[in-house]
């Protein structure tokens, strides 16, 4: 993985997004249905793209929204639709396009009462609250966000009445229907002007910020935080929760400093990520350089990505935590400090997350459910309480209310940040120190994820790998014990491959949102052993690419 010379440095003017051009292209460029890269494509979390490349334009949003309206009618979903946007430049135009279609289709829509931004978990929470106890008239939602992707990107995802990401069958139907609508020249799209849509009888204003914050005490122990006398910090990274944090601090009387409330669609205040791009990835040490530099000012601090579904924890003792480390610490703490949780509530993790989580789950006597990448695989478990916690190595997680009921069925970076404050106050140790305690109990684990460029064709090759494509019998000097293409907990495809040896493992899978592939590796031995695993894994992946090229 070549690291850009810009990585970790303030974003120079030369790489900033041209916002006027971005918005103009959203309305002006028309995608060609014959070009695969310009078609609607739902990845792990909705459709993403950029207007500059005709992969996220008005036609896409009109068609996707109309497809959602048709889907709602077919499924008998006739309650309100909760909609939220983040601070990416394409989110506002996409919101306008979506509302024009929703209003024309007589869908009751709940928009933010302040015309502001709404985090992903807040939309999930609103859907679940509305649907609680109902059998009919159920609500669903749309979140307009490309998550932590670069400023040029837009994203659009659908949440069914379960409140979390839609399952694969639903997203495939919406995707295919939207592409069909675009190919037919948008003839099936119902639409009214934005001014009429915003004032339509079906469009209602909803107080997202207070209805979410008012209930935070049901999931976080603020008494413990107040009693801890801590200095806390948060960096919203210019995202959708930017104006939530002061209200949280005032409402619950906690000593929380908001590092910045700047909102700028170029995200010029960010430090540049590993590849020379601006990316609001709160798990990246390059993107998080500003808050890391401030770590000594706080007992614990955190940041959230642009739609606030992900978290990055900065501990005074250790700096930015590896996301896997914090997931393990959170699991260990929650399952021993939530006495009202169901005794059989399991731990959910993705197949590419650290094996430390396996050890922690066993140590606290909880079943482990291992799923493919994608938070949709945790939705049902969080909804019915069979999962107490669901977490992804990419710094996304959610967990149950303190009484054992569902809080959100999508990732919630807000509660994961506040949980860091709660555990630090309750245990008088920050998350970095708590992870150190886990290593003393369960051993040390050496984990790293590498992102590397990959063409669309290479991503397809990687997604189709199977055990027969692994032409070696050992990795880093140790015999291969297993080759997985499905997750143990669900038997669903992992969209790539995982190779397990006695002393570690690696997994490779294509990104669902960018032209990169992700190489995950973990050693139970040493950092040097991990490096051997990574090097040999990259050789295996490259051999698969070369073999496919030779066959063409």
């Amino acid at each position: 993985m070549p690291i850009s010379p810009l990585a970790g440095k303030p974003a120079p003017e030369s790489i900033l997004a041209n916002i006027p051009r971005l918005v103009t292209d959203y309305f002006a460029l028309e995608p060609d249905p014959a070009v695969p890269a310009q078609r609607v494509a739902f990845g792990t979390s909705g459709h993403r793209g950029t207007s500059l490349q005709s992969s996220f334009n008005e036609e896409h949003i009109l068609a996707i929204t109309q497809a959602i309206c048709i889907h709602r009618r077919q499924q008998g979903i006739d309650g309100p639709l909760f909609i939220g946007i983040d601070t990416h430049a394409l989110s506002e135009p996409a919101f306008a396009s979506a509302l024009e279609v929703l209003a024309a289709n007589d869908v009751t829509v709940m928009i933010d009462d302040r015309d502001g931004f709404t985090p992903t978990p807040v939309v999930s929470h609103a859907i679940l609250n509305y649907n609680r106890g109902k059998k009919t008239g159920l609500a669903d939602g749309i979140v307009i966000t490309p998550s932590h992707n670069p400023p040029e990107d837009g994203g659009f995802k659908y949440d069914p009445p379960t409140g979390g990401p839609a399952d694969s069958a639903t997203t495939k139907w919406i995707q295919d229907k939207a592409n069909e609508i675009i190919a037919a020249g948008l003839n099936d799209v119902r639409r009214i002007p934005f001014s009429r849509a915003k004032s339509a009888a079906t469009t209602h204003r909803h107080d997202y910020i207070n209805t979410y914050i008012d209930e935070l005490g049901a999931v976080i122990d603020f008494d413990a935080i107040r009693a801890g006398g801590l200095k806390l910090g948060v960096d919203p990274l210019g995202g959708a929760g930017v104006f939530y944090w002061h209200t949280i601090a005032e409402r619950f009387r906690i000593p929380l400093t908001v590092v910045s409330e700047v909102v700028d669609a170029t995200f010029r205040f960010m430090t540049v990520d590993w590849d020379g791009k601006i990316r609001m990835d709160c798990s990246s040490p390059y993107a998080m350089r500003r808050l890391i530099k401030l770590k000594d000012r706080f007992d614990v601090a955190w940041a959230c990505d642009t739609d606030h579904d992900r978290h990055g924890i900065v501990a005074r003792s250790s700096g930015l935590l590896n996301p896997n480390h914090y997931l393990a610490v959170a699991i260990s703490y929650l399952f021993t400090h939530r006495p009202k949780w169901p005794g059989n509530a399991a731990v959910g993790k993705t197949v590419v997350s650290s094996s430390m989580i396996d050890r922690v789950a066993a140590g606290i006597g909880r079943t482990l459910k291992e799923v493919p990448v994608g938070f949709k695989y945790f939705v049902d478990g969080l909804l019915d309480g069979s999962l107490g916690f669901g977490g992804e190595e990419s710094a996304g997680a959610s967990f149950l209310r303190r009484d054992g009921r569902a809080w959100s069925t999508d990732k919630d970076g807000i509660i994961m940040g506040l949980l860091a404050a709660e555990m630090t106050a309750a245990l008088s140790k920050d998350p970095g120190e708590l992870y150190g305690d886990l290593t003393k109990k369960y051993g040390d684990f050496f984990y790293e994820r590498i992102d590397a460029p990959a063409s669309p064709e290479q991503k397809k090759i990687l997604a189709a790998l199977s055990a027969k494509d692994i032409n070696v019998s050992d990795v880093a000097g140790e015999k291969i014990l297993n080759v997985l293409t499905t997750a143990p907990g669900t038997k669903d495809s992992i969209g790539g491959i995982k190779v397990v040896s006695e002393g570690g493992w690696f997994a490779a899978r294509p990104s669902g949102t960018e032209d990169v592939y992700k190489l995950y590796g973990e050693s139970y031995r040493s950092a040097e052993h991990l490096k051997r695993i990574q090097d040999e894994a990259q050789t295996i992946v490259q051999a698969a690419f070369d073999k496919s090229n030779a066959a063409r």
Side-chain angles (χ1 to χ4, degrees), residues 7 110 273 501 527:
M110 312 300 282
D273 206 3
S501 69

Side-chain angles (χ1 to χ4, degrees), residues 413-424:
I414 296 173
I415 63 170
M416 289 298 290
L418 291 168
L419 180 67
E422 179 190 328
M423 68 173 69
T424 303

